[in-house]
């Protein structure tokens, strides 16, 4: 294999590893802009992965499975939103418990049931895929990957340009002021979480019925936490968050590809790199106050 | 206390929050109901998936409580769970929420293994040094988060979470690296990477066998720590400051508490206890006396859940840790009977929800009943879609017609005279 082929392989596998992260990161971005540091994104992705495989196996259609996966993500989000923004239980507590619940439930259910594998179809554009280096990365992917082309601009427009997004950002920055001006703070946070659940579910389902085609126990393996790291690495800007996802996906691809090419880079360092980068990004950006000011602070009327 | 009961409004607010919200009996009753629901759901899940709930419960009981030997097995898990939980109580009480225990456990085990394998000290001195090294290393590891918060304002929850994954890779690196802690075996063969076993004198002794019931020294240590921390939190000035800091950092600062120092110390203490738990894993039979990448066994996360269920009360954490230890020991036995042990994780998560939810839900219902829905009802100023007052239509019952949006809607257009015009329209707006 030539060097160009190697690079093309790494790039395209990097893209495949990036896509689930990118979907979930769009959702997590919205949740964090609204002030919810949503830890249960791991549970959303894992639950969605299981749900998508189960439904795809039952209906025989991977596309229906994908939609079902997104719905499972929303279901976890509904639980999280009601427990943390309606009943006012500590949001980290809720997130941790939901992660544990989904991990246990999916691990249990997969040991007592068996599913047939289904995958969504692959887009393979004849001429364009032969473009050297970037061709396989851009033009040979499972079709839901191209949903990102809608999801990312839509998320950006919703948060940065719509009235809903303006109020969302206000809720994340200064919930007291938002409340005084008539925005229903916790209502808006619940909406943001549902959006997060939808996209995280899509990401998890893409992992299952898109890339792998089946469900393994704990198949997300911490990708949800990586998504949180990506949003932090992106300093709460959508574009940079997407770049963060790409960096993380590429690092993952290198970890898998480099040993095969005979290059030895410490694999632990490559696994740890995303988290390390996110921490460094936080240290650098901390003084610029990029973080939504009310991030992870619960809001309840009558308290300051 | 005297300074806080004065006319200072912030102080009064603090004390108001110290009084319990929902009544104790209500919470107790609701907890009983939610636990029953959680257990019912679990049984339903087993039944629906074709298992036998009674057989599963029987297996859980056999593996964890039926015999002294089973009890010994359960109690082995209690000590690390309790230590992690006590640490989590301290940090949660201070408001600096540490969720990185899983990583801190590993760092403690890493430091303990390094010291234990490198130092040749006589007798039980080595064990003491191993425990101390774990304590200090994990405390320092958590202290890094405190420093990042103090000097750069980095969110503590995020940094402790991210550092968990760094700790995991650090341990994997240590046991994969020949000059660090990789096992030096003479033969070759593919084995899971791990360190050499600790020498005999660095292992926790079992405190005798009472007809088959083995009690590990770690359990005594953990209970002593829980009692000591409980006393410190309720009986000392430090404990009161900690509570004040957690309830209202602004008031605490006014009262002379150095927020960064006290909170950072709480964070370091919680990390240190998690590290001690890691050293207990290393020196007790659970960890087979070796450093292994997966040796924390999710005990860090579970310990956090123990603290949540115990509502950050170290004494209450003792029985809860026993419950979790029983579930853990039972789950490995459950697996032997063919029922997937993951089921226990589901039961555990449902139980945690059942314990955590009632006070919050009761408080929610109370707020509802009192009329003030929590941040739910929109003030009618919302989007100004309907400037109705001038037409004489009644506003929604129970909501006041705010005088401020009337001049915008009508006053400025009609007369331009601010106060009188607005007053007039407001009067008209309220039908008799």
């Amino acid at each position: 294999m030539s060097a160009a082929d190697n690079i093309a392989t790494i790039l395209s596998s990097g893209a495949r590893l990036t896509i689930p992260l990118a979907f979930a990161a769009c959702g997590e971005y919205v949740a964090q802009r609204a002030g919810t540091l949503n830890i249960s994104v791991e549970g959303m992705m894992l639950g969605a992965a299981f749900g998508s495989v189960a439904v795809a196996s039952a209906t025989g259609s991977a596309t229906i499975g994908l939609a079902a996966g997104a719905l499972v993500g929303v279901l976890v989000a509904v639980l999280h939103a009601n427990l943390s923004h309606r009943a006012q239980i500590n949001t980290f507590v809720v997130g941790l418990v939901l992660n544990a619940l989904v991990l246990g439930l999916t691990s249990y259910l997969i040991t007592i049931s068996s599913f047939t594998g289904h995958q969504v179809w692959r887009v393979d554009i004849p001429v364009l895929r032969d473009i050297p280096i970037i061709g396989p990365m851009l033009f040979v992917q499972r079709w839901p990957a191209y949903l990102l082309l809608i999801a990312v601009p839509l998320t950006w427009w919703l948060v940065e340009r719509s009235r809903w997004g303006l109020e969302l950002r206000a809720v994340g920055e200064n919930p007291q002021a938002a409340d005084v001006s008539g925005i229903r703070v916790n209502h808006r946070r619940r909406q943001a979480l549902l959006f997060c659940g939808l996209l995280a579910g899509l990401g998890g389902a893409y992992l299952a019925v898109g890339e792998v085609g089946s469900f393994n126990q704990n198949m997300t393996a911490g990708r949800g936490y990586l998504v949180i790291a990506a949003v932090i690495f992106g300093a709460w800007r959508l574009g940079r968050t997407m770049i963060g996802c790409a960096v993380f996906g590429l690092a993952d691809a290198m970890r898998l590809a480099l040993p095969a090419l005979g290059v030895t880079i410490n694999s632990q360092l490559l696994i740890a790199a995303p988290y390390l980068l996110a921490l460094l990004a936080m240290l650098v950006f901390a003084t610029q106050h990029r973080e939504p000011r009310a991030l992870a602070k619960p809001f309840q009327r009558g308290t300051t | 206390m005297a300074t806080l009961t004065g006319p200072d409004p912030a102080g009064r607010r603090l004390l108001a929050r110290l009084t319990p919200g929902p009544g104790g009996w209500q919470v107790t009753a609701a907890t009983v109901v939610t636990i029953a629901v959680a257990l019912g759901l679990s049984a339903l899940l087993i039944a629906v998936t074709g298992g036998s709930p009674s057989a599963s419960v029987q297996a859980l009981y056999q593996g964890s409580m039926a015999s002294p030997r089973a009890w010994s097995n359960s109690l082995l898990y209690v000590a690390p769970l309790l230590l992690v939980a006590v640490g989590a109580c301290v940090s949660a009480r201070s408001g600096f929420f540490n969720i990185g225990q899983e990583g801190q456990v590993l760092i403690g085990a890493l430091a303990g293994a390094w010291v234990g394998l490198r130092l040749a000290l006589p007798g039980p001195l080595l064990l003491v040094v191993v425990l101390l090294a774990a304590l200090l290393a994990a405390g320092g590891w958590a202290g890094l988060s405190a420093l990042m918060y103090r000097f750069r304002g980095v969110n503590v929850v995020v940094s402790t979470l991210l550092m968990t994954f760094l700790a995991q890779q650090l341990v994997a690196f240590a046991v994969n690296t020949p000059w660090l802690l990789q096992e030096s075996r003479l033969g070759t063969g593919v084995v899971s990477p791990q360190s050499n076993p600790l020498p005999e004198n660095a292992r926790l002794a079992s405190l005798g066998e009472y007809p088959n019931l083995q009690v590990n020294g770690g359990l005594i240590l953990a209970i002593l720590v829980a009692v000591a921390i409980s006393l410190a939190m309720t009986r000392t000035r430090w404990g009161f400051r900690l509570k004040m800091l957690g309830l209202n950092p602004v008031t605490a600062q006014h009262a002379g508490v150095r927020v960064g120092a006290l909170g950072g110390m709480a964070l370091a203490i919680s990390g240190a206890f998690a590290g001690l738990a890691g050293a207990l894993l290393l020196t007790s039979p659970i960890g087979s006396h070796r450093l292994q990448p997966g040796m924390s066994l999710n005990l860090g996360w579970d310990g956090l859940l123990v603290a949540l269920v115990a509502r950050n009360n170290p004494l209450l954490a003792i029985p809860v840790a026993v419950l979790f230890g029983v579930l853990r020991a039972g789950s490995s036995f459950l697996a032997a009977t063919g029922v997937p042990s993951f089921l226990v994780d589901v039961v555990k998560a449902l139980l945690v929800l059942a314990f955590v939810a009632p006070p919050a839900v009761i408080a929610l219902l109370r707020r509802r009943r009192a009329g003030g829905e929590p941040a739910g009802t929109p003030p009618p100023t919302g989007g100004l879609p309907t400037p109705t007052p001038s037409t004489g239509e009644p506003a929604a019952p129970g909501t006041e017609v705010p005088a401020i949006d009337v001049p915008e809607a009508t006053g400025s257009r009609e007369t331009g005279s601010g106060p009188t015009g607005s007053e007039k329209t407001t009067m008209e707006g309220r039908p008799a």
Side-chain angles (χ1 to χ4, degrees), chain A residues 245-271:
Chain A
C245 290
V247 169
F248 297 172
L250 212 57
D252 219 3
M254 303 256 266
R255 185 173 61 85
L256 301 173
L258 289 183
L261 298 176
V263 184
T264 48
I265 286 187
N266 190 309
S267 74
Q268 283 89 31
L269 188 63
L270 271 176
I271 301 174

Side-chain angles (χ1 to χ4, degrees), chain B residues 104 107-116 119 125-141 271-272 275-276 279 282:
Chain B
Q104 288 145 13
I107 291 295
L110 173 63
W114 196 81
V115 170
L119 293 183
L125 188 61
L126 185 60
L127 176 64
V128 174
V129 171
V130 165
L131 295 183
L132 275 180
L135 194 81
L136 292 177
W141 183 258
L276 198 55
L282 189 72

Side-chain angles (χ1 to χ4, degrees), chain A residues 20-244:
Chain A
L21 295 183
F23 275 119
C26 276
E28 179 70 17
Y29 164 78
V30 173
Q32 291 206 13
R33 286 306 288 267
T36 311
L37 183 50
N38 173 27
I39 293 184
S40 69
V41 63
E42 170 83 9
M44 291 171 180
M45 291 179 78
L46 189 60
F50 180 84
S52 65
V53 170
V55 170
S57 174
T59 59
S61 158
T63 304
I64 297 177
L66 192 80
L71 276 183
V72 172
V74 172
L75 190 72
V76 177
V78 166
L79 280 175
H80 189 138
N82 278 305
L83 289 172
S84 74
H85 294 320
R86 215 191 276 274
Q88 302 277 335
I89 305 173
N90 184 314
T91 180
F92 307 121
V93 174
V94 173
L96 286 176
V97 171
L98 284 180
N99 283 347
L101 186 65
V102 171
L103 179 60
L105 205 57
T106 54
S107 304
Y108 170 63
L109 291 177
I110 198 65
T111 49
I112 57 163
S113 49
S114 60
F115 299 126
T116 52
H118 288 276
Q119 267 180 302
V120 290
W121 46 272
R122 191 198 295 274
V123 175
D124 197 344
I125 303 169
V127 183
L128 292 175
R129 67 148 184 251
D130 296 327
I131 300 174
I133 297 180
I134 59 164
M137 174 178 75
L138 294 180
F139 302 109
V140 188
Q141 295 291 351
R142 307 274 162 187
W143 72 262
Y146 298 97
L147 282 181
L148 265 185
L149 298 180
I150 303 170
V152 177
L154 179 73
T155 305
W156 181 83
W157 183 83
L158 269 179
V159 173
E160 300 288 347
R161 287 290 177 272
S162 72
R163 180 185 178 113
W164 185 79
L166 180 71
E167 295 181 359
L168 190 86
R169 283 178 284 146
V171 163
E173 291 292 334
N174 192 339
Q176 276 74 29
D179 181 52
V180 168
S181 60
I183 301 167
R184 299 165 68 184
V185 172
N186 283 324
H187 189 70
R188 201 46 52 95
R189 286 186 172 170
R190 286 201 290 273
Q191 290 173 344
L193 256 182
L194 294 193
F195 185 82
C196 176
L198 184 74
L199 283 182
L202 212 52
Y206 180 84
L207 199 65
V209 292
E211 288 307 327
V212 183
S214 63
F215 184 85
N216 314 315
Q217 191 224 325
N218 193 15
M219 74 182 299
T220 49
R223 281 189 177 79
Y225 299 112
L226 209 54
V227 164
I228 301 172
V231 175
I232 296 162
F233 175 78
W236 294 273
R237 294 287 177 275
L238 187 57
R240 295 189 203 185
T241 300
M242 291 299 115
I243 293 172

Side-chain angles (χ1 to χ4, degrees), chain B residues 398-428:
Chain B
T399 57
E400 288 177 48
V401 177
I404 15 164
D405 75 346
V406 178
E408 276 182 26
T410 55
S412 57
R413 197 180 345 138
E414 278 177 8
T415 58
S417 66
T420 46
S422 73
E423 242 171 70
K424 211 175 163 189
T425 42
T426 325
M427 299 287 268
E428 284 171 10

Side-chain angles (χ1 to χ4, degrees), chain B residues 270-418:
Chain B
S270 82
F273 286 156
L276 198 55
L280 284 195
L281 287 180
L282 189 72
T283 54
S284 75
I286 309 177
S288 61
H289 308 295
R290 296 163 184 274
L291 181 70
Q292 293 159 324
M295 72 180 300
S296 55
L297 298 169
N298 285 335
L299 281 166
W301 298 121
D302 272 9
L304 195 55
L305 295 182
V306 169
L308 296 176
V309 171
R311 310 227 166 89
N312 299 328
N313 179 339
L315 286 185
L316 214 53
I318 298 175
V320 180
V322 171
L323 173 69
F324 272 60
V326 159
L327 282 174
R328 201 171 254 272
S331 76
S332 45
F333 195 80
L334 196 63
T337 63
V339 182
S341 61
F342 301 116
L343 185 68
V344 172
D345 296 334
V346 181
V347 177
K348 222 156 48 185
L350 286 176
L351 273 182
V352 172
L353 267 185
F355 275 110
V356 169
V361 171
I362 289 176
L364 172 73
L365 291 178
R366 284 206 170 166
R367 284 201 301 270
R368 279 265 167 83
R369 209 170 303 150
E373 206 205 328
T377 37
T381 39
L384 300 177
T386 46
T388 44
S390 59
T391 62
E393 269 196 48
T399 57
E400 288 177 48
V401 177
I404 15 164
D405 75 346
V406 178
E408 276 182 26
T410 55
S412 57
R413 197 180 345 138
E414 278 177 8
T415 58
S417 66

Side-chain angles (χ1 to χ4, degrees), chain B residues 27-76:
Chain B
V27 173
T28 312
T31 308
V32 170
V33 171
T34 48
I35 288 175
V37 169
L39 294 179
L41 276 179
S42 314
L44 190 70
L45 184 67
I46 302 176
V48 164
T49 51
S52 153
S54 62
S56 303
V57 170
Q58 190 66 27
L60 267 177
Y61 174 73
Q62 285 289 335
S64 59
M65 295 188 286
S67 65
R69 189 158 296 282
W71 263 115
S72 326
N73 203 8
S74 301
L75 290 180
L76 266 187

